[in-house]
Amino acid sequence: MHVRTKRRRLLAFALGLALVTTMVQLSAPEADARVRQPVQPHRIWRFHEFRPDGEPPALVAEGTQFGGVLQEFFDFGPLALDNDGDGIATGTIFSSRSGSDYGVFTEAPGDGFSPNALAIGSRAEMLQYQSFRKMTDDASLQIIANEARLEAGDFMGNLRPSDACPSDNSVCPGVMESEIFLEITAYTSLDQAFFHTAAGARLSGNAGSWDFDGWTYMFSPTDMWDIGDWEFETDLGGVGGDLDALAVLNHPVTVDVDLSAIAVGEDFSIAINAFADAYNRRGGESFIDASFGNTTVDNSPQITATGLKRRPPEIAPIPSADVVTIPCVAGVPNPDAGTVQFDDDAYTMPEWAGGSPQVVVTRTGGSVGAVSADFTTSDGTAIAGTHYEPVTQTIQWGDGDTAARVVPIPIIQDDVPEPDKTVNLTLSNPGGCASLGTQDASVLTITDDDRPVTLPESFTVGGTVSGLEGTGLVLNNVGQRIDVNGSAFVFPQEFASGIPYDVTVATQPTDPAQACTISNGSGEIVDHDITDVAVDCVTLAPESGLDSDFGDGGKVATPGMRGARSATLQRDGKIVVAGDTSLARYDTDGTLDESFSGDGIVTTGLATGFLDSASDVAVQTDDKIVVVGIIGSGASENFGVQRFLPEGALDTSFGDAGTVTTDFFGGIDRAYGVVIQPDEKIVVAGHAATGAENDYAVARYEADGDPDPTFGGGDGLVTTNVQGRIDFGHAVVLQADGRIVVAGRASDGVANEDFGVVRYEDDGDLDPTFGGGDGIALADFGLGSIAEGVVLQPDDKIVVVGSAGTDFAAARFEANGGPDLTFGGGDGVVTTDFDLGTGGFLGAEFGRDVALQADGKIVVVGQSEGDRNLGVVRYDGSGILDESFDDDGIMTIDYFGGFDSGSDIVIQPDGKIVAVGSALSGFSVQTALARIIP
């Protein structure tokens, strides 16, 4: 099974070609918004779904927005091949407040083969309007394409579904395809276009045969990019067979909008039109996606302007730039002007809805002056309007422009079995002293997809199920998933002899929770059906100590959230849980609270691609919810803070439409902890990269999200070098006197790796009364120790928990930072080995967070690696294991027989303990909650 990293990007705007001439009317409220915020862009966004029935793309979501930050997401359906844990094909649209950063991302859905698929493709679209006034003679406007990426993988071996390659061709064009498109038009208030360019890129094919091209579109008189601006590679995993492919824009491409036709004082507008498409008719164990835009919000602008003043955007039909035959002043062809011709004498495209062959016209042998040529389609055996849409277009190149032009010819799908059909393609009337090459004609063949295809003999994979009592069991075989509800199953897809099979549990059953195991699940098909796969399901016994009034026997598992990182309680007892890019709220009985965003779950804007991004959560006294974590990706990761209203919507009065992004020194910054002060100021702790080192980092914000000028050096930021090199702040608490305590990892990167605690005064200065007089205290457990949680006792003693080597670890500090010698073995530290009989790494335990009971007992949650369960440990007030807690002070909680882990723990007013984390159900990482009777 191929493992890939899905790059979920906060990307932006798009709109398809159909919107280029669409009039957009503003309602009265929108018009008023234009008056209030005159310098922000106007956006139109849409998501489309492509279906296998041949119908045009179906509009599934749309909207308009004036000003603010735009972040829109859409789930197109399940994915078979996906390792980010959510299993969903997602479309994403983003644009920053100024519109200077934007982008689109989409991936094709595919939970099975296309005969059973509800959707085979997706589109994320954007149209963005901005207007300017030219203020100086040397004014300039640049549109920068910072990043574009097309990626695909096909791991179906020689298995070929009947509709994947309907013709006899060995290459299957369009069976998997992703495409991006960018169009820029600049025009005056008189609706006269004075600048226009458009470009696209397409990756298509299947395993063993990938094709890529990047080009400027036929109607663009100005080039943007060509294939030389891209890097294209296959066989990314190095295993042979060209199973996957990747195309990446290899450098930022800058488009200089020519403003010479605009007078000083004159207004003009630009419209940026973009989309990302992804189709997957292959299904099964395959994926394909497309993205365009800037993934680092407000970090590397895609639009830069000098000598211009922003104006309210003019929303009107986008005028077309004139594309006409260019006269040849000399009257005779000039060899230096170049030769215009097709790049091939034949093109092929299957008869698929949404299909558009890449008919390429080139200019070679010279680039002097602007040139043109007329392109025309005519009927061969195909009939215009029945089998294809006719195209007649003048194609232009500017002086020095040799970028290839692509002419899309829309294919019309039908369900009539018929011979392959041909379209004649012709170039004529060369302009600008160019010559036509010998290849001035070509033929497009449309291969029929309705004729029956003879397939080799094929066989099924199936078996029996025993002990199934719950619901929701899902089995997987080479990317195809089926729901199982009875005592037998058969995968609907048939396989040729010699194909390997591997049946696994994708999702374990619930209600009651069960763990299903598989025997005889893998092998190779050899000339017969596989019927002996055995699935045995066992109902998990209720675990002692859990609250049966909570969830299912004291446990809750929620799919689609990829686990929990943090939890907190509201005043009404509801449980708020943050994890990765999701925020959820549960009622006191463990059911999702549907008054929160309609289904109990909202998507945050915190995303990286590799790390759990929403790291901590806190609730204000007015029940607004503050989530902190990481925003951005790679070297541009920053502190991210978001605030949500009690009903689940982003609080637009906070920061930039609900989000605050904080960069310390231009490197990698990650926020892990948050606490709300009584004055509603927000304290966030984590770490910031300072060159080759990482330091504890603390930011404090006013209630509206602005940096607190009374904290740190006036910018609201503080960093602390604790141990010299690798210092990660992981947790923060607030003392009653306003002092701030941050705990985490403190390491010199060589010999010292300690629990580190730093205490700050209210203004961010290090507290000289703490530790060794420098505000820093350390607890030495030896190499391999890391602190992740902290809690403050009523006597201001500080309890820090984490892991040391392969054990849970806890340290308690006196209020002045010295070790509390009454804790543990008399040295202020304690470690706990679950002693589950497994050595090495699999015997390791990891403490993640801590809570304090009203009676002073200390509860730690984490990961019990030996039995792969969520682990909870309780100590008495002196650091000794509390044997009244599950008989030995240690409790492990199993969900589906898979790998489970705890991340945070909270104590309810009635003393019950709520632990949260993650539970693995087959392939699905779910958010896990458990309530323990104390």
Side-chain angles (χ1 to χ4, degrees):
M1 169 128 179
H2 175 72
V3 177
R4 71 185 180 100
T5 298
K6 181 187 350 177
R7 292 167 54 97
R8 286 183 176 246
R9 303 164 179 83
L10 288 177
L11 297 178
F13 273 88
L15 202 65
L17 295 174
L19 286 181
V20 173
T21 59
T22 299
M23 176 71 173
V24 180
Q25 299 290 343
L26 287 180
S27 65
E30 290 171 318
D32 290 342
R34 286 179 52 190
V35 173
R36 292 195 300 271
Q37 301 185 52
V39 298
Q40 297 189 50
H42 183 93
R43 300 82 164 238
I44 306 167
W45 58 268
R46 292 183 178 180
F47 291 108
H48 284 87
E49 184 176 81
F50 295 87
R51 296 167 181 167
D53 55 11
E55 294 298 316
L59 179 65
V60 292
E62 65 178 333
T64 62
Q65 181 169 317
F66 183 85
V69 174
L70 176 68
Q71 294 180 17
E72 294 293 337
F73 302 88
F74 190 84
D75 289 344
F76 288 102
L79 283 170
L81 184 58
D82 171 48
N83 81 327
D84 79 338
D86 66 354
I88 298 297
T90 303
T92 307
I93 296 172
F94 166 79
S95 181
S96 63
R97 180 182 292 273
S98 67
S100 294
D101 289 288
Y102 56 87
V104 289
F105 167 75
T106 199
E107 54 192 336
D111 62 339
F113 298 98
S114 52
N116 305 316
L118 297 177
I120 59 172
S122 60
R123 170 179 288 180
E125 305 178 305
M126 171 222 52
L127 182 63
Q128 177 167 287
Y129 293 93
Q130 293 172 276
S131 295
F132 301 89
R133 176 170 294 168
K134 185 174 179 179
M135 305 301 292
T136 63
D137 285 328
D138 60 350
S140 65
L141 179 63
Q142 291 183 328
I143 314 295
I144 304 168
N146 283 326
E147 182 176 332
R149 180 185 180 95
L150 306 168
E151 185 176 7
D154 178 10
F155 307 94
M156 299 300 292
N158 63 352
L159 176 64
R160 305 181 86 74
S162 61
D163 70 339
C165 299
S167 73
D168 294 331
N169 298 331
S170 60
V171 176
C172 305
V175 66
M176 297 176 66
E177 184 173 289
S178 61
E179 181 176 352
I180 62 166
F181 171 81
L182 175 65
E183 181 180 32
I184 302 165
T185 306
Y187 53 99
T188 67
S189 58
L190 300 176
D191 294 337
Q192 295 176 340
F194 62 89
F195 179 87
H196 181 252
T197 187
R202 179 183 292 171
L203 170 66
S204 66
N206 56 277
S209 179
W210 299 104
D211 183 55
F212 171 75
D213 205 355
W215 17 252
T216 297
Y217 266 89
M218 63 175 183
F219 46 74
S220 175
T222 307
D223 69 307
M224 188 183 303
W225 63 57
D226 61 22
I227 195 168
D229 296 306
W230 292 78
E231 295 289 343
F232 174 56
E233 59 180 320
T234 61
D235 191 21
L236 307 178
V239 298
D242 287 342
L243 302 180
D244 47 9
L246 174 67
V248 179
L249 194 64
N250 59 27
H251 66 96
V253 172
T254 300
V255 176
D256 290 297
V257 179
D258 184 359
L259 302 179
S260 60
I262 303 299
V264 173
E266 185 178 0
D267 291 350
F268 69 93
S269 299
I270 60 168
I272 296 175
N273 176 25
F275 69 73
D277 281 357
Y279 312 83
N280 187 356
R281 298 173 177 90
R282 186 76 158 119
E285 190 134 330
S286 62
F287 72 87
I288 190 161
D289 55 43
S291 65
F292 170 79
N294 186 2
T295 63
T296 55
V297 181
D298 285 327
N299 192 53
S300 301
Q302 291 166 271
I303 301 176
T304 60
T306 58
L308 299 175
K309 182 179 180 180
R310 291 184 181 270
R311 301 289 296 156
E314 295 291 336
I315 314 301
I318 303 173
S320 299
D322 292 333
V323 183
V324 298
T325 300
I326 297 174
C328 178
V329 178
V332 295
N334 177 6
D336 293 333
T339 299
V340 176
Q341 62 182 357
F342 292 106
D343 78 334
D344 203 339
D345 61 1
Y347 302 92
T348 302
M349 184 68 191
E351 182 194 84
W352 275 324
S356 178
Q358 297 181 89
V359 175
V360 180
V361 182
T362 63
R363 178 190 188 185
T364 59
S367 62
V368 175
V371 301
S372 64
D374 292 344
F375 174 93
T376 308
T377 58
S378 60
D379 291 352
T381 57
I383 301 172
T386 300
H387 302 120
Y388 73 98
E389 299 290 350
V391 177
T392 299
Q393 178 71 41
T394 298
I395 306 172
Q396 283 188 2
W397 287 262
D399 183 19
D401 175 9
T402 59
R405 298 299 196 261
V406 162
V407 183
I409 303 172
I411 304 299
I412 301 174
Q413 188 185 42
D414 60 38
D415 56 2
V416 180
E418 54 193 339
D420 296 344
K421 301 166 285 290
T422 61
V423 181
N424 298 320
L425 314 174
T426 305
L427 292 173
S428 62
N429 194 24
C433 302
S435 301
L436 288 181
T438 56
Q439 208 155 269
D440 60 353
S442 186
V443 176
L444 166 65
T445 299
I446 304 172
T447 60
D448 190 72
D449 65 342
D450 301 304
R451 300 196 302 271
V453 178
T454 301
L455 294 175
E457 186 178 6
S458 57
F459 307 94
T460 60
V461 174
T464 58
V465 182
S466 62
L468 180 62
E469 298 178 3
T471 58
L473 173 62
V474 179
L475 300 181
N476 175 83
N477 179 41
V478 293
Q480 188 181 29
R481 299 184 185 187
I482 58 171
D483 297 325
V484 178
N485 299 306
S487 60
F489 67 92
V490 176
F491 285 90
Q493 179 60 39
E494 297 186 357
F495 298 83
S497 185
I499 296 297
Y501 63 94
D502 185 14
V503 180
T504 56
V505 176
T507 305
Q508 297 281 10
T510 59
D511 195 26
Q514 291 192 283
C516 299
T517 56
I518 293 177
S519 56
N520 304 324
S522 61
E524 184 176 294
I525 298 171
V526 182
D527 297 329
H528 61 82
D529 292 338
I530 303 300
T531 61
D532 64 345
V533 179
V535 181
D536 181 37
C537 300
V538 177
T539 301
L540 300 175
E543 298 188 46
S544 62
L546 295 185
D547 182 1
S548 60
D549 293 331
F550 185 79
D552 183 0
K555 296 180 287 189
V556 171
T558 304
M561 288 180 58
R562 296 170 54 188
R565 290 276 294 176
S566 180
T568 191
L569 297 176
Q570 293 189 166
R571 291 176 300 169
D572 58 4
K574 292 182 178 181
I575 306 163
V576 180
V577 177
D580 192 59
T581 60
S582 296
L583 179 68
R585 190 167 71 195
Y586 296 83
D587 285 321
T588 55
D589 63 356
T591 59
L592 283 167
D593 176 13
E594 294 184 355
S595 70
F596 188 70
S597 192
D599 60 0
I601 302 174
V602 299
T603 300
T604 71
L606 306 176
T608 63
F610 298 104
L611 299 173
D612 286 329
S613 309
S615 302
D616 201 8
V617 60
V619 177
Q620 298 183 170
T621 55
D622 58 3
D623 288 336
K624 291 182 179 180
I625 301 167
V626 178
V627 182
V628 303
I630 308 162
I631 195 165
S633 63
S636 299
E637 293 175 7
N638 295 315
F639 275 29
V641 186
Q642 291 191 311
R643 190 164 70 193
F644 293 83
L645 299 173
E647 65 270 18
L650 269 173
D651 180 5
T652 56
S653 69
F654 181 78
D656 188 351
T659 302
V660 172
T661 302
T662 301
D663 177 33
F664 281 78
F665 305 109
I668 296 175
D669 310 321
R670 296 173 180 168
Y672 289 118
V674 62
V675 65
I676 311 296
Q677 295 188 169
D679 59 3
E680 296 188 349
K681 291 182 179 181
I682 300 167
V683 179
V684 180
H687 67 80
T690 57
E693 299 179 356
N694 286 278
D695 293 341
Y696 281 25
V698 183
R700 190 164 72 190
Y701 306 92
E702 301 280 6
D704 61 359
D706 287 342
D708 179 5
T710 68
F711 188 77
D715 56 0
L717 307 179
V718 170
T719 59
T720 304
N721 184 334
V722 181
Q723 185 105 284
R725 185 168 176 80
I726 308 173
D727 302 326
F728 294 164
H730 281 145
V732 58
V733 289
L734 188 71
Q735 294 191 173
D737 59 6
R739 287 184 285 189
I740 299 164
V741 177
V742 177
R745 176 187 185 184
S747 173
D748 61 5
V750 182
N752 295 304
E753 202 166 36
D754 301 330
F755 281 20
V757 181
V758 178
R759 191 163 72 189
Y760 300 91
E761 301 280 4
D762 178 65
D763 61 1
D765 287 345
L766 289 168
D767 180 2
T769 68
F770 187 77
D774 55 1
I776 297 172
L778 302 173
D780 183 5
F781 288 90
L783 289 178
S785 61
I786 183 169
E788 300 207 42
V790 63
V791 68
L792 194 68
Q793 295 188 169
D795 58 2
D796 282 342
K797 290 184 178 181
I798 302 164
V799 179
V800 181
V801 302
S803 56
T806 60
D807 298 332
F808 270 40
R812 191 161 68 190
F813 297 84
E814 297 282 1
N816 64 2
D820 180 4
L821 302 182
T822 69
F823 186 78
D827 53 3
V829 298
V830 64
T831 60
T832 300
D833 182 359
F834 281 41
D835 192 23
L836 295 171
T838 305
F841 176 75
L842 290 179
E845 283 85 42
F846 302 92
R848 300 298 191 198
D849 217 329
V850 60
L852 192 69
Q853 293 187 174
D855 59 3
K857 292 181 179 179
I858 300 163
V859 186
V860 182
V861 69
Q863 183 173 301
S864 165
E865 192 80 21
D867 59 0
R868 303 169 68 86
N869 290 330
L870 185 153
V872 182
V873 172
R874 189 165 75 185
Y875 303 98
D876 65 18
S878 61
I880 305 301
L881 283 172
D882 178 13
E883 295 185 356
S884 69
F885 183 74
D886 205 40
D887 294 330
D888 58 0
I890 297 172
M891 175 182 289
T892 61
I893 302 171
D894 179 38
Y895 286 79
F896 304 104
F899 186 87
D900 310 319
S901 177
S903 296
D904 199 2
I905 198 160
V906 291
I907 310 295
Q908 295 184 165
D910 61 2
K912 292 180 180 179
I913 302 165
V914 178
V916 304
S918 62
L920 184 63
S921 175
F923 296 158
S924 172
V925 180
Q926 303 188 5
T927 292
L929 292 80
R931 190 159 70 192
I932 304 166
I933 299 173

